[in-house]
Amino acid sequence: MKGLPGFRDFYPEPLPTADSWSLDLRQYIFKTWRSTAERYGFREYDGPPIEDLELYTKKSGEEIVGQLYNFSDKGDRKVSLRPEMTPTLARMAASHTRNYKKPIKWFSIPQLFRYERQQKGRLREHFQLNADIIGEEHLSADAELISLLIDTLRNLKLTKEDFFVRLSSRQAWQDFFEKNGGEQNNAYAFYQVIDKLEREDPKVSNDKLTKMGFSYDQVNEFILKGQPTEELSAIIENIEARGLGDFIEIDYRIIRGLAYYTGPVYEAFDKRGKFRAIAGGGRYDHLVNLISGGRTSLPALGFGMGDVVLTELLKDRNLIPELSQTINVFVQITDESMRNTSLGLIQQLRQAGITTEYPLLKTKPDKQFKRAFELNAKWLITIESDNQATIKNLESRKEKICPIDDVTEIVKSKL
Ligand code: HAM
């Protein structure tokens, strides 16, 4: 039986086929996401993978509602797998806002589900780093998040030649929309057209814009002028002060497809324009209020960075580190009468935090030796008698005989 389309199997290295997904690579990405977010003072949270359907309808916008993996559960509740983390975060923050000092800086690495047409960079499940700040209106919070986004990618060894962040403003577009006579109930449809401008046939975009009283040229002129608002200038100044100015550009073609954004918005792309967005985010100051039914109001902002495009980009730039399994010790059992003594030592080594492997069954010595190399073992240990063992360093090939009771200490001191 095959897995469902758009869902991935993750294998440990070495991979069965060149296009298999690697769990070791996924762990490398998650570790970098986690350590960078922690370095910026963010705390990890999590929520349920299934939520009340209503959390997403109306709040995220039509596009995501059309992609929901929703169903009725056995209690006839209308539920959905989470397509994004932001509504869950807004719900969690709204319920316990008094318990946390503001600003709240939280991150999460959820698996998300969207019933999309499977294509390059888009699957029906993906993982996302979500980093958000809740309870801070000042633009320094926007700059802090964009810097975290940039540093996360830099910590994966991507440079300014590889990626950049395109910064824009939903508010600037809202002002443009109002100034040019747009009707408020068309606003989201208008943002959707702008969001798709780069991917859609200009004629189709023009037709849609004309129906709302705008023209393609008028919109294009606004984009090309690209005058940074005061807000965007302040964000850029903050990011430049950190020496990260080379990673950011004003670009009004960015508006974000989700409905809830209210202020500065941004997306990260690869510089060669080969891939879809690596990450996207912005300010969503009204979502907590909307989700709490008006009980709590908190400004909020954040971004999501997906693992799918990121993996494609790291592969394209040859930035995948060596991921094969490595162990500290392989305990060779050449004499089966020493198996129990060997098991005693193996247990001691593992309890001391030393990664240890050994043959489960009687195995020819040359096969054991080969296996130790395949596992990149640093040490090969053989019990010679009831109280003596040989320790061999597989890199230098040097070996020595020592009492079994000293083996763990010797290995530990050399790690
Ligand atoms: P988003 O732009 O929908 O934003 O997703 C963020 C990133 O997740 C995208 O740039 C892309 O890399 C990845 N992604 C999205 N959908 C898929 C898919 N079907 N397959 C593979 N990768 C995908 C959000 O989800 C917002 N909730 C982010 C956010 C957090 N805004 C504020 N806080």
Side-chain angles (χ1 to χ4, degrees):
M1 245 178 112
K2 282 190 182 160
L4 290 169
F7 286 79
R8 295 170 290 174
D9 296 327
F10 287 90
Y11 289 92
E13 305 265 347
L15 298 179
T17 63
D19 58 357
S20 301
W21 288 89
S22 163
L23 193 97
D24 294 296
L25 178 57
R26 184 175 109 183
Q27 283 302 83
Y28 164 70
I29 292 174
F30 285 10
K31 268 189 202 155
T32 313
W33 281 353
R34 195 166 266 125
S35 63
T36 316
E38 282 171 356
R39 233 180 282 173
Y40 270 71
F42 282 69
R43 302 271 293 138
E44 189 162 358
Y45 71 97
D46 201 1
I50 298 180
E51 292 269 18
D52 193 321
L53 178 64
E54 221 190 299
L55 188 65
Y56 307 114
T57 50
K58 296 192 191 119
K59 278 116 193 165
S60 303
E62 275 157 48
E63 188 167 316
I64 231 170
V65 171
Q67 296 169 350
L68 286 175
Y69 238 110
N70 58 307
F71 54 97
S72 293
D73 73 5
K74 289 180 181 170
D76 263 344
R77 286 174 210 93
K78 290 190 179 354
V79 296
S80 175
L81 295 182
R82 58 186 174 196
E84 56 157 339
M85 198 59 175
T86 315
T88 296
L89 173 65
R91 180 179 62 67
M92 286 170 63
S95 350
H96 289 289
T97 175
R98 285 205 198 92
N99 301 70
Y100 290 96
K101 291 230 160 63
K102 315 294 171 307
I104 295 169
K105 291 169 81 179
W106 282 359
F107 79 96
S108 190
I109 305 182
Q111 188 172 23
L112 306 173
F113 306 88
R114 298 184 187 181
Y115 203 91
E116 293 201 49
R117 195 169 55 80
Q118 194 185 331
Q119 51 189 298
K120 194 168 176 297
R122 287 287 175 273
L123 298 173
R124 288 191 173 161
E125 84 20 69
H126 70 284
F127 290 91
Q128 236 186 48
L129 164 67
N130 272 248
D132 292 82
I133 298 182
I134 295 177
E136 185 50 70
E137 265 174 8
H138 198 272
L139 293 163
S140 57
D142 302 68
E144 175 81 347
L145 277 164
I146 297 170
S147 303
L148 169 60
L149 191 166
I150 294 169
D151 270 343
T152 305
L153 295 175
R154 288 174 75 214
N155 286 341
L156 289 161
K157 314 268 185 298
L158 291 159
T159 67
K160 63 179 195 302
E161 273 74 47
D162 297 311
F163 79 93
F164 70 126
V165 176
R166 299 161 70 188
L167 177 65
S168 176
S169 164
R170 186 61 82 83
Q171 188 58 50
W173 273 114
Q174 172 71 23
D175 294 345
F176 171 91
F177 182 78
E178 281 171 16
K179 220 171 77 196
N180 292 290
E183 278 175 42
Q184 197 48 43
N185 53 359
N186 279 338
Y188 179 59
F190 174 79
Y191 301 155
Q192 292 279 87
V193 181
I194 306 297
D195 184 52
K196 294 204 171 52
L197 226 44
E198 285 179 284
R199 280 169 275 147
E200 195 126 76
D201 179 348
K203 226 182 90 38
V204 176
S205 300
N206 190 42
D207 287 351
K208 287 184 186 165
L209 288 168
T210 311
K211 278 194 194 123
M212 286 183 251
F214 294 87
S215 77
Y216 189 80
D217 290 343
Q218 177 191 23
V219 157
N220 230 0
E221 195 187 323
F222 179 72
I223 291 172
L224 291 176
K225 244 203 223 147
Q227 284 300 321
T229 59
E230 244 176 69
E231 277 186 340
L232 299 189
S233 298
I235 293 173
I236 289 185
E237 193 184 324
N238 182 309
I239 292 171
E240 277 173 347
R242 304 169 195 236
L244 299 176
D246 284 347
F247 289 92
I248 191 147
E249 270 176 30
I250 298 287
D251 189 337
Y252 283 122
R253 283 171 296 181
I254 300 299
I255 190 164
R256 303 283 294 141
L258 291 154
Y260 48 66
Y261 292 108
T262 51
V265 284
Y266 45 89
E267 286 186 5
F269 280 87
D270 73 289
K271 273 235 162 123
R272 294 181 204 161
K274 262 172 90 169
F275 302 100
R276 297 190 57 157
I278 311 164
R283 192 169 266 281
Y284 51 98
D285 282 346
H286 306 319
L287 189 64
V288 175
N289 183 277
L290 194 68
I291 282 178
S292 68
R295 276 190 295 278
T296 311
S297 273
L298 281 170
L301 57 153
F303 70 82
M305 178 184 294
D307 70 322
V308 179
V309 177
L310 188 56
T311 300
E312 287 172 351
L313 179 61
L314 293 176
K315 280 190 181 161
D316 187 70
R317 305 291 148 93
N318 278 327
L319 289 173
I320 311 283
E322 175 59 47
L323 294 167
S324 51
Q325 186 177 10
T326 52
I327 62 168
N328 302 129
V329 169
F330 190 91
V331 175
Q332 185 176 227
I333 306 176
T334 47
D335 174 356
E336 281 300 313
S337 70
M338 290 295 149
R339 182 167 284 272
N340 285 353
T341 315
S342 301
L343 287 174
L345 175 64
I346 290 160
Q347 184 65 20
Q348 254 189 39
L349 288 161
R350 287 175 171 170
Q351 265 171 225
I354 297 164
T355 320
T356 309
E357 255 294 29
Y358 71 101
L360 284 173
L361 305 172
K362 185 174 177 189
T363 310
K364 285 190 183 142
D366 59 329
K367 280 210 171 146
Q368 294 193 46
F369 200 64
K370 206 172 141 213
R371 187 80 189 118
F373 269 97
E374 279 165 7
L375 294 170
N376 295 308
K378 182 129 196 260
W379 308 93
L380 183 75
I381 295 175
T382 319
I383 307 275
E384 303 293 351
S385 66
D386 281 339
N387 52 22
Q388 283 206 314
T390 308
I391 305 185
K392 182 174 180 134
N393 182 317
L394 288 177
E395 279 161 17
S396 65
R397 302 281 172 131
K398 281 191 190 144
E399 59 176 58
K400 72 171 182 182
I401 292 189
C402 67
I404 295 178
D405 287 347
D406 294 354
V407 169
T408 306
E409 268 318 303
I410 295 176
V411 174
K412 219 173 152 186
S413 70
K414 295 196 169 157
L415 285 183

